[in-house]
Amino acid sequence: MSYTHHMTIFLRCKLIEGREFYIRLCIRESYSIRELDRQISSRLFDQCINRRQLAPFADSKLTTISIGLQIISSVIKICGEGST
């Protein structure tokens, strides 16, 4: 990923989870800057999060970082299933 990819993600995504989501997506899909911009504009991360119930994580005693990583993994799995 280029510096421009990172700056685009950093400037356009406020949530750490969203930033990591788009970084992983760019690496996996080899997105151009234009395609990355299109995905962020279409709010792909928000759409994927909204498909998933986050309730199982609410009562967990896991740390905030662990919860974030589990959510990101779930989002990537959900979005990955839809693209194949």
Side-chain angles (χ1 to χ4, degrees):
M1 277 181 45
S2 71
Y3 174 80
T4 308
H5 283 84
H6 286 285
M7 287 307 295
T8 300
I9 292 168
F10 181 75
L11 294 173
R12 302 227 13 232
C13 300
K14 302 304 177 205
L15 296 174
I16 292 171
E17 294 86 359
R19 290 175 179 171
E20 186 171 350
F21 172 82
Y22 288 112
I23 288 170
R24 289 177 183 267
L25 194 62
C26 279
I27 292 169
R28 190 180 78 201
E29 301 294 330
S30 301
Y31 281 164
S32 65
I33 294 298
R34 180 174 282 174
E35 182 61 21
L36 170 61
D37 187 59
R38 191 180 76 74
Q39 295 296 340
I40 294 173
S41 293
S42 71
R43 301 176 55 117
L44 179 63
F45 175 71
D46 295 334
Q47 292 173 23
C48 289
I49 285 291
N50 289 335
R51 291 184 204 161
R52 181 82 171 154
Q53 287 283 350
L54 298 181
F57 300 111
D59 296 330
S60 177
K61 297 199 186 270
L62 298 172
T63 64
T64 302
I65 294 172
S66 293
I67 292 169
L69 292 174
Q70 288 182 15
I71 292 170
I72 290 166
S73 295
S74 297
V75 167
I76 290 170
K77 286 178 187 173
I78 290 169
C79 290
E81 290 172 3
S83 66
T84 56

